Amino acid sequence: MSIDIKEVTHIAKLARLSLTGAELELYSTQLSGILGYVEKLKELDTGGIEPTSHVLDLKNVMREDRVRPSLPEDEVLANAPDRKDGFYRVPRIIE
Amino acid sequence: MELYELGLAGALSLIKEKKASAREVLDSVFTRIRNVDGRVKAYVSLTEELAYKMAENAAGPIAGLPVAIKDNMCTKGVRTTCSSKILENFTPPYESTVTERLFKAGCSLPGKTNLDEFAMGSSTENSAFFTTKNPWDLERIPGGSSGGSAAAVAAGECLAALGSDTGGSIRQPASLCGVVGLKPTYGRVSRYGLVAFASSLDQIGPITKTVEDAAIIMNIISGHDPLDSTSAPIPVPDFTAVLGKDIKGLKVGIPKEYFVEGMDKEVEKSVRDAIAHLENLGAVPVEVGLPHTPYAVADYYILATSEASSNLARFDGVKYGFRAEGKDLMEMYMETKARGFGAEVKRRIMLGTYALSSGYYEAYYGKGQKVRTLIKRDFEEAFKKVDVIATPTSPTPAFKIGEKTADPLQMYLSDIFTISINLAGIPAISIPCGFTSGGLPIGLQIIGKHFDEETILKAAHAYEQSTNWHTMRPAL
């Protein structure tokens, strides 16, 4: 199993992660090694086996559709890197 | 005996007998922190002023007693960093359910403990701030990811602590620091306010000096929470009620797959001696098979990293935490993550993103979920024959700082005996069961059926009360 630099670059873009040339090379080697180890899962025949997404016997947990108090806007926005008029502010999205 | 050496039950009985006050216990713990934390480095933040304020009017079963909290659980108004640069200045506007329940029980918060960044690691070496040291040997790691909590308990820098366990992060550091660590059944304890790593595996639990203390904390933090839809709506027993009951006839499964080549010889001997000791107490050892054990680490690193890559997408510099400047939104996202996350977190985001990416999802995540079913079935089959399963917690004692940082796979393999339990969602406890010739603690893991923490607590307590390991303290 080998993940080349081109593929690592593609994955980094999907993950919205800017990587240096040295990091790209390191992760290419390390991810190839880890995925090589993970290959052993293919030894197992899982035909007809149901997937387990979690172990609890719970489905679609609902709550009553009732308005409850929210956190105070000011306290929530206090952690925002940039804010204006009760909103989060980010760099321009639309040219 | 110094007051900081006490556990919760020990302190409560002294307070009841009027031989000490909660205030004196708190004084002793903070003096201890001042004397040793410069070397142990268990805490990311200390909240001494708050601790005394909380203790002033405290009421409840553990009134005024200091319980440390791993720094990935939100504490309202107290910085919660996940030992990451990206959350270095994050102060939660809300309280996690576990801390709310502990505070209602009267507990006082001494501080927040160090961890591997976002709980990803087995040594605390992935903390963005510093590496916590093992109180038994300051050149060694305390285990991880709840290494700060385990070291703080072992060093007497708190009476007890909370950790979180996704693949062994409570049990492995407890084992390596010579203390008790319990990972409850998935769904037993609310994760509301726990910063998510791998949501189908994460669970919060106690790290304590004794089994009784683990039961006391379980009584406080367990139970359904409407704020966590994955918390199970089932009744919670009094976990202390089983303590002291005998274990005659208890069937203890011994899985042959957990006694394999490569295990440290002294660890193997201590664990085999511990099983013989359980037999002397009336338990009946039964050989069981968990045939899919060799696939657990590979399975875990697909499932956990996939979930992590999804969970950590939220740290994008918009709503909270660190933001790097960028000429446009995309560059801001990419630079924020690049500069905010450490190497191991990036590695796992990359692996998880790959496993979930178009064309690979079925081969990796889909396959991983099916293998998970096989691992879960192994335990279901074994538990038809036995009441609990006993294994080593970790294949080796605490390793040297730096020993495994170059090879991520070697680090991952140090969780080989704990990971399957998270995949199966069942409870397990690690308790001290000996020391190496070099004086490093060894842990015994006792695994139970779904929602049967009582039986593992009963077995662990019977073992503990007839041995002296839990009374040993590191010389600091």
Side-chain angles (χ1 to χ4, degrees):
Chain A
M1 193 71 211
S2 146
I3 309 284
D4 60 24
I5 299 281
K6 197 177 148 210
E7 200 154 14
V8 175
T9 309
H10 171 65
I11 299 298
K13 194 168 173 229
L14 290 178
R16 303 288 184 262
L17 197 54
S18 160
L19 295 180
T20 63
E23 281 178 314
L24 288 172
E25 271 182 41
L26 180 72
Y27 289 146
S28 165
T29 311
Q30 290 181 337
L31 294 187
S32 299
I34 296 165
L35 286 167
Y37 177 75
V38 167
E39 284 293 294
K40 71 194 289 179
L41 295 183
K42 295 197 175 142
E43 294 165 11
L44 292 171
D45 178 7
T46 49
I49 304 289
E50 283 294 309
T52 297
S53 55
H54 68 88
V55 298
L56 289 174
D57 193 21
L58 287 173
K59 284 196 184 84
N60 296 336
V61 179
M62 305 289 193
R63 66 170 173 81
E64 226 183 311
D65 185 17
R66 230 178 41 210
V67 178
R68 291 178 304 178
S70 304
L71 291 168
E73 183 186 292
D74 223 42
E75 284 177 32
V76 173
L77 288 172
N79 280 296
D82 196 4
R83 56 191 277 199
K84 195 185 178 190
D85 303 334
F87 293 97
Y88 298 111
R89 192 154 77 165
V90 295
R92 177 180 289 276
I93 298 171
I94 302 160
E95 289 302 325
Chain B
M1 175 102 167
E2 300 286 341
L3 293 176
Y4 65 74
E5 292 179 50
L6 294 167
L8 297 170
L12 287 169
S13 75
L14 279 193
I15 292 166
K16 203 174 159 193
E17 292 164 27
K18 305 219 182 292
K19 287 183 183 155
S21 67
R23 170 78 193 224
E24 284 164 346
V25 172
L26 207 51
D27 287 343
S28 174
V29 164
F30 274 105
T31 305
R32 178 69 171 170
I33 289 172
R34 274 189 288 277
N35 288 336
V36 302
D37 201 54
R39 282 172 287 146
V40 177
K41 298 170 94 63
Y43 284 99
V44 171
S45 308
L46 283 167
T47 50
E48 183 166 354
E49 206 177 309
L50 176 68
Y52 278 96
K53 207 175 136 202
M54 289 172 85
E56 247 169 51
N57 299 309
I62 53 169
L65 301 182
V67 178
I69 306 293
K70 183 179 183 179
D71 206 20
N72 63 347
M73 296 172 217
C74 286
T75 38
K76 189 177 180 178
V78 176
R79 195 170 71 117
T80 299
T81 68
C82 287
S83 290
S84 177
K85 278 188 190 152
I86 215 158
L87 285 178
E88 192 166 2
N89 296 310
F90 175 67
T91 304
Y94 69 99
E95 196 67 58
S96 64
T97 296
V98 282
T99 50
E100 182 161 306
R101 289 184 180 178
L102 277 175
F103 297 163
K104 271 193 185 143
C107 131
S108 175
L109 179 70
K112 306 288 295 287
T113 56
N114 195 29
L115 60 147
D116 288 290
E117 184 177 6
F118 285 102
M120 297 179 187
S122 311
S123 68
T124 74
E125 289 166 297
N126 297 330
S127 166
F129 308 137
F130 46 80
T131 298
T132 298
K133 311 296 194 296
N134 191 311
W136 295 90
D137 178 347
L138 297 172
E139 288 178 5
R140 291 176 189 267
I141 56 96
S145 66
S146 312
S149 284
V153 172
E157 298 184 60
C158 58
L159 298 203
L162 286 189
S164 66
D165 190 315
T166 305
S169 281
I170 287 174
R171 294 159 286 155
Q172 184 256 17
S175 168
L176 270 41
C177 289
V179 295
V180 175
L182 171 66
K183 185 204 87 76
T185 308
Y186 183 81
R188 178 64 97 184
V189 177
S190 167
R191 287 104 45 89
Y192 178 72
L194 172 71
V195 179
F197 158 16
S199 303
S200 79
L201 302 161
D202 299 338
Q203 185 61 205
I204 295 170
I207 297 177
T208 56
K209 294 172 192 176
T210 64
V211 174
E212 184 181 4
D213 281 5
I216 289 172
I217 291 197
M218 283 298 291
N219 277 355
I220 297 168
I221 64 173
S222 300
H224 180 246
D225 174 16
L227 297 174
D228 174 6
S229 58
T230 62
S231 74
I234 63 162
V236 179
D238 174 2
F239 292 107
T240 62
V242 293
L243 305 179
K245 299 219 167 123
D246 76 62
I247 57 165
K248 285 197 180 69
L250 185 84
K251 294 202 188 89
V252 181
I254 317 297
K256 50 184 180 294
E257 294 84 357
Y258 281 62
F259 293 87
V260 288
E261 227 176 292
M263 191 185 345
D264 183 277
K265 291 284 169 261
E266 289 181 301
V267 170
E268 178 167 3
K269 184 174 184 315
S270 285
V271 171
R272 288 203 185 276
D273 287 351
I275 292 164
H277 186 91
L278 288 170
E279 200 176 348
N280 287 336
L281 295 173
V284 183
V286 179
E287 189 169 296
V288 292
L290 297 168
H292 294 96
T293 301
Y295 301 95
V297 173
D299 198 36
Y300 174 86
Y301 277 94
I302 288 302
L303 298 179
T305 58
S306 296
E307 295 181 18
S309 74
S310 171
N311 273 326
L312 269 60
R314 75 191 65 181
F315 300 102
D316 56 7
V318 173
K319 300 175 290 297
Y320 37 69
F322 169 77
R323 174 190 290 189
E325 295 307 320
K327 65 177 184 329
D328 55 21
L329 191 68
M330 182 61 96
E331 193 180 285
M332 183 202 87
Y333 287 154
M334 302 210 34
E335 288 303 315
T336 295
K337 287 168 187 285
R339 288 160 56 189
F341 289 137
E344 178 62 22
V345 173
K346 288 182 194 173
R347 188 157 39 241
R348 294 200 194 191
I349 289 174
M350 290 291 289
L351 184 59
T353 304
Y354 177 80
L356 293 178
S357 65
S358 173
Y360 295 106
Y361 180 89
E362 259 319 305
Y364 289 105
Y365 196 70
K367 180 84 181 178
Q369 287 189 314
K370 289 175 185 168
V371 174
R372 183 174 185 179
T373 304
L374 296 174
I375 290 167
K376 194 173 129 220
R377 280 187 195 166
D378 278 0
F379 284 98
E380 285 162 1
E381 283 305 310
F383 279 124
K384 284 179 186 165
K385 293 193 285 183
V386 298
D387 303 304
V388 299
I389 294 172
T391 74
T393 306
S394 168
T396 66
F399 44 90
K400 286 243 164 90
I401 290 168
E403 193 178 320
K404 296 190 183 185
T405 42
D407 185 350
L409 196 53
Q410 279 311 307
M411 189 72 91
Y412 297 172
L413 288 169
S414 69
D415 295 332
I416 194 160
F417 297 145
T418 48
I419 269 175
S420 302
I421 284 81
N422 298 75
L423 292 169
I426 50 183
I429 191 168
S430 178
I431 53 170
C433 74
F435 288 85
T436 64
S437 50
L440 297 172
I442 297 169
L444 169 72
Q445 176 173 245
I446 303 176
I447 307 162
K449 299 174 188 174
H450 272 119
F451 295 105
D452 189 15
E453 288 85 359
E454 286 171 285
T455 305
I456 57 174
L457 284 164
K458 183 175 81 172
H461 188 254
Y463 177 85
E464 176 196 71
Q465 292 303 305
S466 56
T467 56
N468 286 324
W469 310 119
H470 67 290
T471 63
M472 312 291 260
R473 296 284 183 268
L476 271 167

